[in-house]
C-alpha cells in the first residue's frame, strides 16, 4: 500500500438504514455481477424505493478491517433533531469529519438528499485548510445525478484527470459510489463494488488520483512515520522524567519557559523519527520520475532543450534525446549535474520554469511555505519574526520616525525580551520593502497575494514602538485567526500579516548586527577602485 492509502485508517459511516442482523452480505456470483444492472443477484433485489437499500455493518466493518481501516457505523435515527436527521445529523457529520480519516454518508436520508448536501457543504465550509474526505455510498440509481447535485447545490467541481464521480471544493474531496446490488444507469457500474470487500480498494484508488504528487507523497509518508513512531516517543517521554522536569522548570527564571523547551525536545524526537523512516526517498530519481514526466508533458520543454544542446558542457549523448527526454534528464540530474556552472544555471532557470506546468504559481506557493509558517487559531505574541502592517490613516497626527508612511514591518525583538513584561516596552521594527527587485523572501500580503520582500537593515531605518503587555505578561494580539491585531500605546493598530521561519528571522537580526558593527576607514581611492596604470 502506498503512503497515501496507508494514511486513511479510521472511517465512520452514517446511514438511516442499518441491517440489524449482522449477517454477511450475500456474495454476488461472477456471472450475476457481469449483468447486475439488468438482473440483480438473488437476495439483492432492487428495493421499491432508492433509499431502502440497507447497510450490512458486520460485512462492511470486516471489509475495512482487512484493509487496515477501523470503521464505525452510526444509524441516523429519530434521536437526531428534525426530519431526516436535520441539524443533529449535520453536527454528527461535522464531528465525524474532524475525527475520522474517512466519513461515509448515505445520500438519501429518509428519502431526502438535502440533509446530506447540507452536511457536506458544512464540512467544506468549516474544514478549510484541513484535508476532508467524504464518501457518498448510496442506493440511488443515478450516481451522475448525485454528482450534479453536489456541483449545483454545494459548489463542488470535478477533479481534472480523475473520474467524473470525484468532486472537490477546496480541501474537501467527495467520492461517489453505489451500494452493491442496486440497479444503476448505464455506464456507472464501475463505481459499484460487487461486494463490500471491494469498496476500500476502490476508495484508495480514487485517493491515489486525487493526492498524487511528490509533495503529497512526502507529506503523507511523514505523517505516517510520525504515527508509527508515536508509541516509541510516548514511551520515551514517560512519568519517570517528571521529577527532573519539575526541578528544571522550578529553576528557570520564568517556569513557563519550560513548555517551549520541551516542545522543541519533542520536535527533535519527531525529526529523528522522520529521518529514520527515510521519507527523503520520496525525492529519489526513481520515485519522482512519474511526477517529472507528468510536469514536462504539460509544459514547453523546447527552450530548455535548445539551451542545453547549445552548451558545450552537456554530454553529446544527452543532446541526441528529444526535448521532453532531455528536459527530464535535466530535472532528474539537476542543471549543475548536466555540467552547467552556477551562473549558467541562473541563466537557464527561466527556461526550466517554462518546461514545467504551472511553474510560477507553484514556485510562489513553495517560496511562501519555505519562508513563513503563519499562525494557527491561538492569538500570536509579538516577538521575533512577526510581520506587521501599520494601519494608520492620513489624518493621524502621530508620526513614527522617518518612515511613518511605511506599511510593513518586521519585529526583531529577541524572544527573551518579549516575555515576563511588567510594563510597556519598546519593540524594534525593521522596514519590510514589498515588490523588491532583489527579494530576500516571499510572503502572502494581507490581501493574499504572493509578494517578494526585502529587509532594510540600516540602523537609521529602525524604529521603536511601545506596546503594553496583557495578563500573560506579553504583548498578545486581539481579534481572530484571519484578523489578528496589535495596538500600540498611542492607539495605532498593527495588523498581523505572517510569521517568518526562525532561521530567516535570525538572518535579518544578524544583518542588523553586522550593520551596527560597520567601521569606516580612510583608504586610497586609487587602490580601492583598483585603477590599472
Amino acid at each position: 500500500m502506498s503512503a497515501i492509502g496507508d494514511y486513511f485508517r479510521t472511517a465512520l459511516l452514517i446511514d438511516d438504514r442499518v441491517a440489524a442482523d449482522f449477517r454477511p452480505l450475500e456474495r454476488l456470483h461472477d456471472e450475476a455481477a457481469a449483468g447486475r444492472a439488468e438482473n440483480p443477484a438473488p437476495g439483492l433485489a432492487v428495493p421499491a424505493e432508492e433509499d431502502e437499500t440497507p447497510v450490512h455493518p458486520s460485512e462492511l466493518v470486516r471489509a475495512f478491517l482487512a484493509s487496515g481501516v477501523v470503521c464505525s457505523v452510526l444509524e441516523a435515527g429519530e434521536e437526531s433533531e428534525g426530519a431526516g436527521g436535520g441539524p443533529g445529523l449535520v453536527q454528527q457529520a461535522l464531528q465525524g469529519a474532524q475525527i475520522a480519516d474517512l466519513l461515509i454518508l448515505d445520500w438519501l436520508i429518509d428519502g431526502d438528499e438535502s440533509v446530506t448536501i447540507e452536511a457536506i457543504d458544512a464540512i467544506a465550509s468549516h474544514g478549510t485548510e484541513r484535508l476532508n474526505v467524504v464518501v457518498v455510498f448510496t442506493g440511488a440509481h443515478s450516481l451522475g445525478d448525485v454528482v450534479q447535485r453536489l456541483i449545483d447545490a454545494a459548489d463542488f467541481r470535478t477533479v481534472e484527470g480523475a473520474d467524473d464521480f470525484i468532486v472537490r471544493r477546496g480541501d474537501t474531496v467527495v467520492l461517489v459510489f453505489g451500494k452493491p446490488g442496486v440497479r444503476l444507469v448505464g455506464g456507472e457500474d464501475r463505481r459499484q463494488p460487487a461486494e463490500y470487500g471491494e469498496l476500500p480498494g476502490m476508495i484508495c484508488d480514487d485517493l491515489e488520483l486525487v493526492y498524487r504528487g511528490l509533495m503529497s507523497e512526502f507529506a503523507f509518508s511523514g505523517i505516517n512515520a510520525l504515527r508509527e513512531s508515536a508509541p516509541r516517543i510516548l514511551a520515551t517521554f514517560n512519568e519517570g522524567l517528571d521529577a527532573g522536569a519539575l526541578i528544571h522548570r522550578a529553576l528557570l527564571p520564568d517556569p513557563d519557559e519550560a513548555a517551549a523547551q520541551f516542545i522543541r525536545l519533542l520536535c527533535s524526537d519527531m525529526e529523528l523519527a522522520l529521518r529514520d523512516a527515510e521519507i527523503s526517498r520520496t525525492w529519489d530519481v526513481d520515485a519522482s520520475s512519474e511526477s517529472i514526466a507528468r510536469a514536462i508533458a504539460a509544459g514547453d520543454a523546447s527552450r530548455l532543450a535548445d539551451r542545453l544542446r547549445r552548451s558545450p558542457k552537456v554530454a553529446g549523448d544527452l543532446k541526441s534525446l528529444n526535448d521532453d527526454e532531455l528536459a527530464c534528464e535535466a530535472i532528474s540530474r539537476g542543471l549543475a549535474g548536466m555540467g552547467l556552472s552556477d551562473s549558467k544555471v541562473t541563466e537557464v532557470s527561466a527556461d526550466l520554469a517554462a518546461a514545467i506546468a504551472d511553474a510560477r504559481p507553484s514556485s510562489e506557493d513553495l517560496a511562501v511555505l519555505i519562508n513563513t509558517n503563519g499562525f494557527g487559531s491561538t492569538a500570536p505574541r509579538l516577538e521575533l519574526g512577526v510581520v506587521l502592517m501599520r494601519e494608520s490613516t492620513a489624518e493621524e497626527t502621530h508620526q513614527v520616525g522617518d518612515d511613518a508612511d511605511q506599511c510593513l514591518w518586521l519585529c526583531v525583538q529577541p524572544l527573551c525580551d518579549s516575555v515576563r513584561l511588567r510594563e510597556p516596552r519598546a519593540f524594534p521594527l525593521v522596514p519590510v520593502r514589498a515588490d523588491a527587485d532583489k527579494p530576500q523572501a516571499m510572503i502572502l500580503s494581507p490581501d493574499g497575494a504572493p509578494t517578494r520582500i526585502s529587509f532594510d537593515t540600516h540602523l537609521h531605518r529602525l524604529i521603536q514602538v511601545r506596546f503594553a503587555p496583557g495578563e500573560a505578561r506579553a504583548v498578545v494580539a486581539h481579534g481572530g485567526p484571519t484578523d489578528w491585531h496589535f495596538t500600540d500605546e498611542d492607539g495605532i493598530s498593527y495588523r498581523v500579516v505572517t510569521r517568518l521561519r526562525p532561521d530567516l528571522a535570525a538572518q535579518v537580526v544578524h544583518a542588523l548586527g553586522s550593520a551596527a558593527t560597520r567601521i569606516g576607514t580612510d583608504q586610497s581611492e586609487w587602490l580601492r577602485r583598483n585603477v590599472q596604470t
Side-chain angles (χ1 to χ4, degrees), residues 12 82 161 174 183 289 413 421 480 492:
L12 171 65
V174 179
R183 189 190 305 274
S289 58
Q413 185 83 293
L421 306 182
I492 295 179

Side-chain angles (χ1 to χ4, degrees), residues 465-490:
V465 182
R466 291 179 65 83
F467 293 89
E471 293 182 0
R473 297 178 61 191
V475 180
V476 180
H478 56 86
T482 59
D483 193 31
W484 294 119
H485 284 77
F486 296 106
T487 302
D488 70 9
E489 279 197 310
D490 295 294

Side-chain angles (χ1 to χ4, degrees), residues 103-331:
L103 177 65
I104 308 173
L105 297 176
D106 187 21
W107 179 246
L108 297 169
I109 304 295
D110 287 344
D112 186 6
E113 65 192 37
S114 62
V115 177
T116 304
I117 293 175
E118 183 182 354
I120 294 175
D121 181 64
I123 291 168
S125 299
H126 288 76
T128 55
E129 298 183 354
R130 184 186 187 282
L131 184 148
N132 298 293
V133 177
V134 180
V135 177
V136 173
F137 192 43
T138 177
H141 299 312
S142 174
L143 304 184
D145 289 348
V146 174
V147 171
Q148 194 59 50
R149 286 288 292 137
L150 289 171
I151 293 173
D152 295 340
D155 200 29
F156 277 80
R157 295 291 181 268
T158 55
V159 177
E160 184 178 356
D163 197 289
D164 292 339
F165 299 95
I166 303 173
V167 292
R168 186 170 192 167
R169 179 175 134 195
D171 294 312
T172 298
V173 173
V174 179
L175 319 175
V176 181
F177 293 98
K179 292 179 178 177
V182 175
R183 189 190 305 274
L184 295 178
V185 298
E188 296 185 351
D189 290 354
R190 71 182 189 279
R191 302 294 298 181
Q192 181 184 38
E195 56 182 12
Y196 287 137
E198 297 178 1
L199 181 61
M202 295 172 71
I203 293 173
C204 184
D205 289 343
D206 280 359
L207 296 174
E208 294 281 356
L209 288 174
V210 174
Y211 297 112
R212 66 179 180 179
L214 286 173
M215 269 297 187
S216 295
E217 182 76 15
F218 176 72
F220 277 105
S221 298
I223 296 299
N224 292 341
L226 291 178
R227 186 158 49 187
E228 295 294 341
S229 66
R232 178 184 63 78
I233 294 176
L234 291 172
T236 301
F237 287 78
N238 57 69
E239 70 278 4
L241 300 174
D242 285 2
L246 289 172
I247 293 173
H248 172 75
R249 178 183 181 278
L251 293 174
L252 290 172
D254 184 350
D256 289 341
E257 291 183 358
Q261 295 174 353
F262 291 142
I263 286 174
R264 288 193 292 271
L265 193 61
L266 183 61
C267 289
S268 177
D269 265 33
M270 291 181 176
E271 181 180 359
L272 179 62
L274 295 177
R275 293 181 182 275
D276 289 346
E278 298 183 333
I279 66 168
S280 58
R281 289 183 178 179
T282 303
W283 299 97
D284 291 347
V285 172
D286 292 339
S288 61
S289 58
E290 181 180 346
S291 295
I292 293 173
R294 187 165 60 247
I296 293 296
D300 179 11
S302 60
R303 285 167 44 191
L304 175 62
D306 288 344
R307 176 92 67 162
L308 293 174
R309 292 192 182 100
R310 291 197 301 269
S311 172
K313 300 292 186 179
V314 177
D317 59 328
L318 294 176
K319 294 180 180 180
S320 63
L321 299 174
N322 64 41
D323 290 356
D324 287 351
E325 291 172 339
L326 184 54
C328 285
E329 285 293 326
I331 296 174

Side-chain angles (χ1 to χ4, degrees), residues 325-341:
E325 291 172 339
L326 184 54
C328 285
E329 285 293 326
I331 296 174
S332 298
R333 302 184 182 202
L335 294 178
M338 298 289 284
L340 302 185
S341 64

Side-chain angles (χ1 to χ4, degrees), residues 42-102:
L44 290 173
V46 178
E49 299 293 339
E50 288 185 314
D51 67 313
E52 292 184 359
T53 307
V55 166
H56 294 253
S58 179
E59 192 73 8
L60 184 76
V61 170
R62 190 177 293 112
F64 275 99
L65 188 60
S67 297
V69 178
V70 177
C71 181
S72 298
V73 178
L74 176 64
E75 185 169 11
E78 296 179 355
E79 69 278 3
S80 298
E81 301 175 12
L89 186 139
V90 173
Q91 288 303 119
Q92 288 173 348
L94 270 173
Q95 186 178 14
Q98 293 170 356
I99 297 173
D101 299 330
L102 293 170

